[in-house]
Amino acid sequence: MSEIDRAYEHIQNGEFEQATAIAHDLMEDGELEGYFILADTKEKEGKLDVVLEIMERALEEYPDNWRFWLRLGNTQSDLEEYEDALYSLERARYLNHADAELVLLNKAIVTKRMGEYPSALAIIKDCEQAFPLFSMGLVMEIYTLMEDPHAVISSFDETVIHQADEEDSSHLSTLGRIYYALAWAHYNLTNEKEAINYLVDSLLHNRDNPSALWLRREMLGRVDPASRYFRIIVQGEWAEEIREANQPYKFMASYEVVAQNPMEALEEIKFFEVENINRTALKLEEVEEWELPEGNPTGIYFCSPLFTYESDELKD
C-alpha cells in the first residue's frame, strides 16, 4: 500500500493525526496529493477555514493547478462565499488539463446554492453527458426547491439508474437523493404508495439523508404534546444470515428520536432501521432527554452509522 493510500485509509478510520503526519511528509517531498490529504483531514474535523488556508497556500506554490482552484472554490461554496467560489471555479475551468465538465458541475452546485435555479439548470446541460447520474440528481433536487413535483418526475430517467455503480459510495448517496426527490414529488401529488416506496429506496441507499428523514416524519409522524426528544445509543447484532465466521457481529449506533418514552423510541428505531439487523436483539445502552421544540413530529431525526465492535471491546 502506498503512503497516499495509507493516508486516505487513516482518514476513513478517523485517524487524523496519522493522516496529517503523512500529508506533511508528502508535501515536503513535493507531492501535491499531500495538500489534498491535509485538506480532507481538516474537512473531516469540521475546520473549513483551515481547508481554505491550505488551498491558498497550495496555490501560492502551484498557481496553475486546476485541482487546487476547484477545491478552493468548493470550500468557498461550503462557507457560503459564493462569488469567490464562482471566481475560483472559472480559474480552474480554463487552466491546462482541467476537467471542464467537472468544474461546470460544481459551478452548477454553487449557482443552485445561490438560488439561481434557471441558471443552474442551464449549466447542467453542458456537463450531463459526462456525469449523467449526478446531473440528473442535481436537476431533480433543483425542481424540489422550485416546488415542481411534475418536473421532478419527468426528469427521472431509469436508464441512467441502471448505469450507476452501487459499489461507489458517491453513487449510493446520489441515488438516495434521487429517490428522495421522487418520494417528495409523489407525496406532494398525493400518490402515497409510490411516495412510500421511493422513500424506502432513498433510505436504503442513504439512510442518514436529512431530507429523507424529514419526509419520513412528515408522512408517518404525529405531533404529540406528550412526546420527548431523546438521544439514544443502542447495542445490537447483525442479522445471522449476513454474519461471517469468526467476525464481529455486534454493533453500536446513536439516534435522535422524538417519542413519548425511551421504549417507544426503541420501537421506532426497530421500525425505521433499513440495515439487515436482528431487531429482537436491539437494546438501549444510553438515553438522554433533550428539550423538544414545539411542533416537532415523532420519528427519527438523526442516525449514525452502525459501528461494529468485538464482543469484549466494551467490557471494563
Side-chain angles (χ1 to χ4, degrees), residues 4-281:
I4 291 174
D5 290 338
R6 195 183 309 280
Y8 282 117
E9 186 176 85
H10 283 311
I11 293 173
Q12 186 175 357
N13 294 334
E15 298 164 350
F16 300 135
E17 288 186 13
Q18 295 92 322
T20 298
I22 294 174
H24 284 299
D25 288 342
L26 291 170
M27 291 159 62
E28 288 178 8
D29 293 339
E31 175 56 67
L32 273 60
E33 197 65 27
Y35 288 97
F36 292 106
I37 292 168
L38 188 60
D40 284 357
T41 301
K42 298 308 176 185
E43 184 172 334
K44 287 287 187 181
E45 293 176 337
K47 300 176 180 177
L48 287 178
D49 55 333
V50 179
V51 177
L52 204 65
E53 293 172 4
I54 293 167
M55 288 300 105
E56 289 171 345
R57 189 185 349 147
L59 283 164
E60 288 177 2
E61 295 191 49
Y62 307 97
D64 294 328
N65 185 290
W66 72 272
R67 292 178 63 212
F68 286 146
W69 281 108
L70 175 64
R71 184 63 178 268
L72 176 64
N74 288 339
T75 304
Q76 290 166 330
S77 175
D78 291 339
L79 290 168
E80 301 182 4
E81 300 172 2
Y82 298 129
E83 295 297 337
D84 289 341
L86 290 175
Y87 172 80
S88 297
L89 293 176
E90 283 300 294
R91 289 290 302 267
R93 182 182 175 191
Y94 292 107
L95 287 169
N96 289 336
H97 311 298
D99 186 336
E101 288 85 1
L102 177 60
V103 176
L104 278 173
L105 188 63
N106 284 275
K107 183 179 178 181
I109 293 171
V110 176
T111 309
K112 182 244 338 179
R113 289 178 174 179
M114 296 172 72
E116 298 178 4
Y117 303 138
S119 297
L121 291 170
I123 294 169
I124 293 169
K125 290 186 180 297
D126 292 330
C127 54
E128 60 187 358
Q129 287 190 343
F131 301 97
L133 182 70
F134 198 95
S135 294
M136 183 174 74
L138 188 54
V139 167
M140 295 171 72
E141 179 186 354
I142 290 170
Y143 282 131
T144 63
L145 295 169
M146 296 174 70
E147 300 185 350
D148 189 342
H150 293 287
V152 169
I153 293 171
S154 65
S155 302
F156 179 64
D157 185 348
E158 190 76 40
T159 60
V160 174
I161 296 294
H162 293 321
Q163 297 167 7
D165 179 7
E166 297 211 6
E167 297 298 317
D168 186 325
S169 61
S170 68
H171 283 200
L172 280 176
S173 178
T174 303
L175 287 167
R177 292 196 299 273
I178 287 170
Y179 288 127
Y180 158 74
L182 288 168
W184 173 89
H186 283 286
Y187 176 64
N188 279 274
L189 294 173
T190 65
N191 300 326
E192 184 175 345
K193 182 178 179 181
E194 290 86 350
I196 289 176
N197 289 338
Y198 282 124
L199 181 60
V200 170
D201 284 339
S202 175
L203 291 168
L204 282 168
H205 286 89
N206 188 11
R207 62 189 274 281
D208 60 351
N209 179 353
S211 296
L213 293 176
W214 164 80
L215 184 58
R216 183 180 181 276
R217 296 192 301 271
E218 288 293 303
M219 294 173 64
L220 304 177
R222 68 188 189 282
V223 176
D224 184 347
S227 293
R228 301 290 181 268
Y229 199 114
F230 296 102
R231 181 183 181 276
I232 292 176
I233 297 178
V234 302
Q235 289 190 38
E237 300 176 1
W238 295 103
E240 192 167 348
E241 59 267 24
I242 66 167
R243 297 180 192 173
E244 297 182 13
N246 302 318
Q247 293 298 312
Y249 64 89
K250 294 182 179 292
F251 67 81
M252 296 191 72
S254 63
Y255 301 82
E256 292 174 17
V257 189
V258 170
Q260 285 193 359
N261 53 63
M263 293 310 298
E264 182 177 285
L266 182 63
E267 292 303 312
E268 173 66 12
I269 293 169
K270 292 178 182 178
F271 178 54
F272 155 79
E273 190 54 70
V274 293
E275 296 283 6
N276 199 353
I277 65 171
N278 179 353
R279 297 178 198 285
T280 60

